[in-house]
Amino acid sequence: MSLEVRTIGDPDLPDWIRAMHTGFLRPPAVAKEEIETRRAGMDLERVQGAFDAGQCVGTFRSFPQRITVPGGAAVAASGISNVTVSATHRRRGLLSRMMERDLREARDRGEVAATLLASEWLIYGRYGFGPAAWVCEWEVEVARAGLDKRYAGPADGGRVDFVDAETVRRLGPPLHERLRAVRHGVVDRTERWWRLATGDIPQPGLPPWTEPYYALYRSPGGSVDGLLTYTSDEVWDGKRPQNTATVHGLIAVSTEAERALWHFLLSVDWVTKVASGRRAPDDLLPMLLPDPRAAKLTLHSDYLWLRPLDVPALLEARTYACPGSLVLDVTDPAGHAGGRFLLEVDPGGTSCTPSKRPAELSLSVAELAALYLGDESAVRLATLGWIDEERAGAAQRAELMLRTARRPWCPDHF
């Protein structure tokens, strides 16, 4: 029997979840509670399965997403998740069929890009995705950090307070929206996201929920400018505490808030190490410490991958560091976003239109994705031979126009 790829219905969902668990090397058992919880967050028109003789052997889901681009605008994207192919059905084109369908439908819906978090580097480049934002994690040795041991609260007159989950669900969303308006790479969070993140919706199939600590920073004027979520273990060596506080999220819309929340956490009694959680590669954390070497880098990796679906709409949505023009020849074997485009940036605005002018830079849609949020260097890609400089100086011009002062950051897992 031929392999079938199609959207799923409610009767397929238990088998679909089992196949997803199997693909992610999790126990394949599926509880009724997990079916109900997952179904509540799914649009089945955007959930695909690959089936062999009626058994699900591949999974794929997408959902509407908004991602902030340089300059603060948000563009519509297709967020892709839950992608698996069972080990028994590898190398049969199942992922290609599911991906092609989703990208085509996303383009038809007017979503100008697709995003995902890649489990492996080698998989998604062939579908036009490129690494657009990277991530770092640090482990801070508290005793070496050099912070004032007499710390009793923020020095700026603000305050840090513990709050409960209900308060986080009320005050967290507007704070996150303020962050999303100023930090490119950040994606939107739905009400369901906040309910899941605070334990209001159980998540069967995952480790048991552990209530974290929530700490809010309020400015001297009373505005909520920062939120910290963390847990701590309980480890003692003799009568000496050896506890690690693990950050699950820290968002802040001011340097004062960021500084205050890190200083607070690094001053908690009995905590000897702090695991930072996912941060931008240019995060302030190490340099906030009197001894930055107290923060040991434990992870530096690609994180958010992006796939352009509408090049003019994408390039017109963001801002640029300086005026200029570029003729880009973009290749896209899938046919979604290829073409030759003239990008023109001047004080009056930005335009990106199809062009017949000679190309100045030739690149694949995946390389354009890597450059789009301002994180990658056009000069470096040209040096590597990943993009072709058709006109001398074009890579340097692209560098000046596209790079951003701060690196993009996606704090969320999806």
Side-chain angles (χ1 to χ4, degrees):
M1 183 179 293
S2 62
L3 297 171
E4 180 186 18
V5 171
R6 58 173 172 80
T7 55
I8 70 169
D10 285 308
D12 301 310
L13 192 52
D15 192 32
W16 187 93
I17 296 173
R18 177 204 54 76
M20 182 189 66
H21 284 329
T22 300
F24 287 141
L25 300 182
R26 299 171 183 163
V30 180
K32 177 182 177 183
E33 293 78 11
E34 181 177 7
I35 297 170
E36 293 172 350
T37 299
R38 288 190 178 276
R39 178 63 182 91
M42 286 180 167
D43 175 359
L44 293 189
E45 291 298 316
R46 300 184 67 151
V47 181
Q48 298 181 67
F51 295 86
D52 185 355
Q55 181 180 6
C56 189
V57 295
T59 63
F60 192 109
R61 178 176 70 90
S62 70
F63 58 93
Q65 186 183 73
R66 303 285 293 180
I67 179 170
T68 300
V69 303
V75 300
S78 176
I80 294 173
S81 187
N82 302 145
V83 179
T84 72
V85 174
S86 296
T88 53
H89 287 70
R90 299 168 70 241
R91 305 295 184 264
R92 304 190 194 184
L94 296 178
L95 173 56
S96 296
R97 290 169 64 183
M98 292 187 290
M99 181 68 77
E100 169 57 27
R101 175 176 178 159
D102 191 81
L103 295 179
R104 182 180 68 254
E105 292 180 351
R107 177 68 192 265
D108 291 343
R109 283 190 296 266
E111 292 163 342
V112 299
T115 63
L116 54 79
L117 308 180
S119 57
E120 297 184 48
W121 182 284
L122 295 176
I123 296 175
Y124 293 102
R126 66 181 186 268
Y127 300 117
F129 288 83
W134 292 59
V135 70
C136 285
E137 295 183 6
W138 286 271
E139 183 182 85
V140 182
E141 187 178 347
V142 174
R144 185 174 175 176
L147 293 168
D148 187 353
K149 298 181 182 299
R150 299 168 298 175
Y151 171 82
D156 65 350
R159 59 182 295 156
V160 174
D161 296 295
F162 284 117
V163 296
D164 59 17
E166 183 179 354
T167 301
V168 170
R169 289 191 291 272
R170 178 168 52 87
L171 299 180
L175 172 64
H176 181 264
E177 284 301 292
R178 291 170 62 198
L179 174 69
R180 197 164 69 89
V182 297
R183 191 64 189 265
H184 57 294
V186 176
V187 297
D188 61 332
R189 293 176 175 177
T190 63
E191 178 189 4
R192 178 180 171 81
W193 186 98
W194 287 99
R195 294 184 63 196
L196 287 166
T198 55
D200 191 46
I201 298 177
Q203 299 190 62
L206 296 179
W209 170 256
T210 299
E211 183 77 11
Y213 302 100
Y214 304 107
L216 282 181
Y217 167 84
R218 291 181 171 89
S219 72
S223 65
V224 175
D225 290 350
L227 170 63
L228 166 67
T229 304
Y230 71 97
T231 56
S232 179
D233 58 11
E234 188 175 1
V235 178
W236 290 76
D237 180 5
K239 291 291 288 182
R240 297 177 301 173
Q242 302 291 320
N243 301 308
T244 298
T246 299
V247 175
H248 298 278
L250 191 159
I251 58 175
V253 295
S254 71
T255 304
E256 292 78 13
E258 197 166 347
R259 185 189 303 274
L261 289 173
W262 283 122
H263 200 165
F264 160 76
L265 186 57
L266 289 161
S267 301
V268 174
D269 289 341
W270 297 356
V271 169
T272 59
K273 291 183 180 178
V274 169
S276 72
R278 295 183 293 269
R279 312 300 302 170
D282 62 345
D283 194 78
L284 302 182
L285 173 60
M287 304 309 293
L288 289 175
L289 307 177
D291 183 356
R293 292 185 184 179
K296 179 178 70 174
L297 186 66
T298 58
L299 174 71
H300 176 225
S301 179
D302 58 286
Y303 192 65
L304 178 72
W305 287 56
L306 185 141
R307 205 283 187 202
L309 293 172
D310 186 334
V311 171
L314 271 179
L315 292 179
E316 289 180 350
R318 60 158 290 175
T319 59
Y320 296 84
C322 63
S325 66
L326 281 168
V327 181
L328 304 172
D329 193 78
V330 180
T331 57
D332 183 358
H336 298 298
R340 185 168 298 176
F341 305 97
L342 170 62
L343 172 65
E344 295 183 292
V345 179
D346 59 44
T350 299
S351 67
C352 183
T353 55
S355 177
K356 294 183 179 180
R357 295 188 188 183
E360 297 178 301
L361 280 182
S362 296
L363 68 170
S364 75
V365 70
E367 271 62 67
L368 178 61
L371 294 171
Y372 177 67
L373 290 180
D375 200 44
E376 186 52 83
S377 161
V379 171
R380 181 164 79 154
L381 293 187
T383 302
L384 288 166
W386 293 8
I387 66 177
D388 294 323
E389 188 177 49
E390 310 290 358
R391 182 176 180 180
Q396 180 66 39
R397 198 168 353 120
E399 182 91 2
L400 294 173
M401 293 174 64
L402 291 164
R403 289 295 284 267
T404 55
R406 292 297 303 272
R407 297 183 70 175
W409 177 45
C410 179
D412 291 358
H413 184 85
F414 59 87

